[in-house]
């Protein structure tokens, strides 16, 4: 099969999933494609360029998924519903790729147009909600950081230690609130509640009458 940029990105994504950022190299990608490493440079100039292309692919997939979710919202949906649609589809998109959160987090620094498009759309949504200019970038960056961090935790393969009944009792005695109030929600429920909490925080920055849509007050967090 003819070598192409898309095939190199495919191989880069598969290699990244196996060996991570530090292990990724053009040589490893070439080995996966069964070609000489030098032939890759006709399509992708170096590892940094490959990482940027990988990040851009994930971000563009997330952007397209977000566009579909936004189009499916009922007419007159408020700004929080639009934030939730973008957040949910972004999480779903990046967790399909091992290492997706890391690539997305580095996307803006790599000047990935896909990642920048995600940020731009969030900023427009917040502007239309009435969030002041001085707060918009902080809110958008906090949302994106939260989503990438949430997926990083979901993708973590850290071993779970064996815990006996006495261990649980000891922990409950030492950390009663932490153990008792540990949420029993599914991961999806926990994610949506966390996004709504961030929306509630963002709403406090909106001056009365500044929001372009929806009534005052944040939607129920349950």
């Amino acid at each position: 099969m003819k070598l192409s940029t898309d095939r190199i990105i495919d191989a880069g994504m598969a290699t990244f999933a196996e060996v991570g950022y530090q292990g990724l190299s053009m040589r490893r990608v070439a080995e996966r494609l069964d070609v000489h490493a030098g032939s890759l440079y006709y399509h992708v100039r170096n590892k940094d360029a490959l990482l940027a292309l990988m990040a851009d692919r994930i971000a563009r997939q997330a952007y397209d998924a977000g566009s579909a979710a936004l189009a499916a919202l009922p007419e007159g949906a408020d700004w929080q519903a639009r934030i939730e649609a973008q957040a949910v589809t972004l999480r779903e998109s990046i967790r399909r790729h091992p290492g997706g959160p890391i690539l997305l987090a580095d996307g803006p620094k790599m000047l990935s147009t896909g990642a920048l498009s995600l940020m731009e759309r969030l900023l427009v949504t917040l502007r239309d909600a009435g969030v002041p200019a001085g707060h918009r970038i902080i809110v958008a960056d906090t949302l994106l950081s939260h989503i990438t961090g949430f997926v990083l935790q979901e993708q973590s393969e850290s071993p779970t230690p064996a815990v006996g009944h006495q261990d649980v009792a000891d922990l409950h005695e030492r950390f009663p609130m932490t153990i008792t109030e540990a949420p029993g929600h599914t991961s999806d429920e926990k994610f949506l509640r966390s996004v709504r909490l961030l929306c509630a925080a963002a709403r406090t920055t909106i001056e009365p009458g500044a929001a372009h849509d929806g009534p005052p007050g944040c939607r129920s967090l349950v």
Side-chain angles (χ1 to χ4, degrees), residues 86-170:
Q86 293 171 69
V88 168
T89 52
L90 177 55
R91 172 184 169 234
E92 291 172 348
S93 297
I94 63 175
R95 71 175 180 172
R96 285 198 291 267
H97 302 280
I102 298 172
L103 288 169
L104 184 75
D106 283 343
K109 292 183 287 186
M110 298 174 185
L111 298 181
S112 156
T113 55
L116 294 172
S117 295
L118 289 169
M119 175 64 85
E120 186 77 8
R121 184 164 62 190
L122 271 176
L123 290 170
V124 169
T125 304
L126 293 168
R127 179 201 65 192
D128 292 347
V131 175
H135 294 292
R136 285 197 292 264
I137 190 67
I138 302 300
V139 174
D141 189 60
T142 300
L143 278 164
L144 291 177
S145 296
H146 171 65
I147 295 165
T148 54
F150 195 97
V151 178
L152 274 172
Q153 287 187 323
E154 290 185 297
Q155 292 183 342
S156 171
E157 297 180 358
S158 300
T160 302
V163 179
H165 292 297
Q166 188 57 50
D167 295 320
V168 173
D170 291 343

Side-chain angles (χ1 to χ4, degrees), residues 148-214:
T148 54
F150 195 97
V151 178
L152 274 172
Q153 287 187 323
E154 290 185 297
Q155 292 183 342
S156 171
E157 297 180 358
S158 300
T160 302
V163 179
H165 292 297
Q166 188 57 50
D167 295 320
V168 173
D170 291 343
L171 289 171
H172 192 281
E173 183 177 352
R174 294 178 61 194
F175 313 106
M177 291 190 66
T178 303
I179 301 300
T180 302
E181 298 189 18
H185 309 295
T186 67
S187 189
D188 290 346
E189 291 169 339
K190 182 180 177 182
F191 178 76
L192 193 55
R193 284 170 64 91
S194 66
V195 171
R196 289 176 178 174
L197 281 169
L198 291 174
C199 285
R203 194 179 289 274
T204 65
T205 70
I206 301 174
E207 295 294 333
H212 295 187
D213 59 6

